[in-house]
Amino acid sequence: MHFLVTVALLLGNAQIVLAQQQAPPADAPAATLVEYAVLPPDTFSEGPPSGQFNSDGSKAALPRFPAQPVQSFSAIQFSPACDSYYVLSDNGFGNKYNSIDYLLRLYAITPQPRTAEGGRGKILVDDFIQLRDPAGLTPFFIIHEFTEERWLTGADFDVESFVFDADGTLWIGDEFGPYLLRFDAEGRLLEAPIPTPNFDGEAPFVQSPQHPAILARSPQPGAASAANLRASRGFEGMATNPARTTLYPMLEGTVTGDPEGALRIYTFDVASQQYVTDTVRFYPLADPNHSIGEFTVINDDEFLVIERDNDSGDEATFKKIFKINLNELDEQGFVQKEEVVDLLTISDPDDLAGFGATFRFPFATIEDVLVLDAETIVVMNDNNYDGRGGRGATIKDANELLVLRLATPLQLADGVGRPEECR
C-alpha cells in the first residue's frame, strides 16, 4: 500500500478536510438496552493500601483506600470463561504522580445482568492478572524497581487499551510514552516498551509530556517540554484484524503538525513486531475537544469507535459509537464515519436500568466496547474512581455494563464476537 498521507499535504487542506468529515450524519435508530449490570464504586481487591499520594507526588498523611480499587475500566475483551470478560484497569487516580501505589491489573469479571426475564443486575469480580516486569525489560526506573516481581503501577505506565493476538499474547496500549507493551498471558512483560514512530514528522518519535526522555529534561509537573502529543492522549484505543495478526493502535490526541482533531490510526504487524510505515490513517473528531474511548473490530474493513465529549450528567451532549471502514479513505487518508449508537438516547422498554423508557449513559469517560454478535455489543464506562457526576453531583460513579441490541446488524467476520463454544 502506498503512503496515504503526509503532514505537509494535510496542513494545507486541514480546514476543508475536517469540515467535510464533520458534516452531521443522519440520526441512527435508537439501540435497545437488553442487559444491564452494575459494579458498585467501592469495590476492592487484595493488595496494599492505595491512594496515599497527592497529585504532585507528595505523600498524604494516610492512604485513602484500604486495598486496591477495582475501577476505571478502560478496555474490555473476552476471557477464557464463557459469559465473562477481562477488563483493564487504567493508571489509577488521575495522573502519574498520585498513582504510585496503584497496581496495574486486568480483572476477570462475570456479569449477572438484569434482563426482561429478571436477574440480579450485578457484576462479580473473579480474579486478576497483575502486570509486572520481572525480567527488568523496562529501560527506565519503575516504582518497584528493586523487588523480585517488579509489579507495574500507574506511575510507570498509563494503560488504556488491550487486545490478544492469535497466540494469546497480551498487547497493551500506553499513554505515557506512548508505548506498545507486550505481555504473556500471566502478565509478564516480554520485551522493552515499543516507542511510537512519527514517520514524516520532524521528531522521530511521538512523545507525550510523561515520556521518560521528556521528563528527564523537564521533570516538574506542568513544566514546558518538547513533547509533540498532549498528556493523556496516547493509545486510548486498539483493535486487531479478525485473524489477530495486525494491531491498529489509535491515538487519542492530535500529533503536532497534524490537522486539529485528526487522530492517527497506526498499523502494527505482529509477526515482525514492526510498525507498517506506509499506512497511517486518520480518524476525524466531530469536535477537536472530543476524545475517543475505544476501538474494536467488526470485520477486516469495519471497526467501531467510541467518540465522546468530556462532560458528564446533564452537561453531557455527545456520547456516540461510530462505524468506520479502514479501507475507504479520502485522498488525505481520513476514514469515513457512520453513527451506530447514540449513548444518550437508548431505548429501555423494560426499564432495566430504572431510569424509564429512555436511558442515558452520560459518563465523562466511556471507554469499553466489544462486539458480542451481529446484533449486540457490550459497552462499559470508566468510572475514574472515586469520581462523581454521571448520576449526580455527589454520587460516586459506578462501573455500569450495558448490552445493546443494534437497530442495524453488523457484518461480522468469522472469529469476531463471542467464542463459538459460548454461543
Side-chain angles (χ1 to χ4, degrees):
M1 180 180 289
H2 297 295
F3 191 74
L4 298 174
V5 293
T6 66
V7 171
L9 176 63
L10 284 167
L11 287 175
N13 297 285
Q15 292 182 338
I16 295 173
V17 170
L18 288 178
Q20 291 172 342
Q21 296 296 326
Q22 292 172 11
D27 290 340
T32 302
L33 185 66
V34 294
E35 297 183 15
Y36 179 75
V38 176
L39 182 71
D42 294 321
T43 301
F44 295 90
S45 179
E46 64 183 75
S50 59
Q52 59 187 323
F53 292 91
N54 299 314
S55 59
D56 61 357
S58 61
K59 198 165 185 179
L62 293 170
R64 286 189 292 152
F65 311 115
Q68 294 291 307
V70 181
Q71 54 93 25
S72 293
F73 300 152
S74 59
I76 185 170
Q77 297 291 335
F78 296 105
S79 84
C82 292
D83 300 320
S84 294
Y85 306 95
Y86 280 130
V87 288
L88 179 65
S89 195
D90 65 22
N91 90 301
F93 302 119
N95 69 35
K96 183 180 181 73
Y97 303 100
N98 66 2
S99 300
I100 291 170
D101 56 6
Y102 187 87
L103 300 178
L104 299 181
R105 294 171 172 176
L106 277 82
Y107 287 95
I109 63 169
T110 301
Q112 295 182 334
R114 186 178 301 124
T115 70
E117 288 73 40
R120 299 180 62 197
K122 304 293 184 182
I123 298 175
L124 304 180
V125 180
D126 303 317
D127 203 351
F128 62 84
I129 298 172
Q130 173 65 53
L131 301 180
R132 56 200 191 277
D133 179 19
L137 299 172
T138 304
F140 51 83
F141 186 91
I142 65 173
I143 297 302
H144 291 275
E145 181 75 26
F146 303 113
T147 65
E148 182 176 358
E149 283 296 311
R150 291 167 52 91
W151 291 342
L152 296 175
T153 74
D156 304 318
F157 297 102
D158 183 2
V159 293
E160 295 285 350
S161 53
F162 81 102
V163 294
F164 293 99
D165 69 21
D167 294 330
T169 300
L170 172 63
W171 292 87
I172 291 180
D174 156 74
E175 291 203 309
F176 284 164
Y179 294 114
L180 280 183
L181 306 173
R182 181 171 173 255
F183 296 86
D184 67 15
E186 296 181 351
R188 291 181 289 253
L189 192 68
L190 294 175
E191 61 187 86
I194 301 170
T196 303
N198 200 25
F199 300 148
D200 278 11
E202 292 183 6
F205 297 104
V206 174
Q207 295 181 334
S208 86
Q210 295 104 339
H211 189 285
I214 300 293
L215 289 175
R217 296 194 291 271
S218 53
Q220 298 302 316
S225 76
N228 52 8
L229 181 70
R230 285 175 54 200
S232 298
R233 291 295 184 268
F235 289 135
E236 182 70 40
M238 182 159 55
T240 69
N241 63 337
R244 300 183 181 273
T245 57
T246 302
L247 310 182
Y248 297 108
M250 182 175 179
L251 294 176
E252 189 179 17
T254 301
V255 178
T256 300
D258 290 352
E260 187 178 27
L263 307 184
R264 293 185 183 183
I265 303 172
Y266 285 89
T267 301
F268 185 87
D269 178 67
V270 171
S272 64
Q273 295 188 34
Q274 297 291 324
Y275 281 94
V276 181
T277 58
D278 63 351
T279 52
V280 178
R281 301 168 173 90
F282 287 87
Y283 176 89
L285 292 171
D287 183 308
N289 295 313
H290 286 176
S291 302
I292 64 104
E294 190 51 285
F295 182 33
T296 197
V297 62
I298 301 171
N299 55 50
D300 281 301
D301 301 321
E302 296 178 318
F303 297 76
L304 295 178
V305 177
I306 300 173
E307 182 178 343
R308 56 179 175 80
D309 61 22
N310 296 294
D311 296 317
S312 62
D314 292 340
E315 302 299 317
T317 60
F318 194 104
K319 312 286 183 184
K320 295 187 177 184
I321 299 176
F322 291 94
K323 181 172 67 176
I324 64 171
N325 190 316
L326 290 186
N327 292 315
E328 290 184 1
L329 312 172
D330 66 16
E331 65 261 22
Q332 283 85 27
F334 282 91
V335 300
Q336 308 300 305
K337 298 162 58 175
E338 177 185 343
E339 184 180 329
V340 174
V341 177
D342 183 346
L343 293 167
L344 297 178
T345 310
I346 297 170
S347 175
D348 186 7
D350 298 304
D351 196 16
L352 302 181
F355 295 100
T358 299
F359 174 71
R360 283 170 51 88
F361 203 46
F363 294 99
T365 48
I366 303 170
E367 300 189 354
D368 310 79
V369 61
L370 186 65
V371 174
L372 301 183
D373 55 47
E375 296 184 339
T376 56
I377 61 174
V378 62
V379 179
M380 292 188 74
N381 64 305
D382 172 350
N383 69 338
N384 295 312
Y385 184 76
D386 56 346
R388 295 160 172 80
R391 300 297 181 197
T394 62
I395 300 172
K396 291 182 183 179
D397 291 337
N399 287 114
E400 299 183 20
L401 181 145
L402 322 177
V403 174
L404 303 178
R405 184 171 65 240
L406 304 176
T408 303
L410 304 171
Q411 300 298 314
L412 259 60
D414 290 342
V416 177
R418 285 189 180 98
E420 188 68 34
E421 62 272 18
C422 298
R423 297 179 185 178

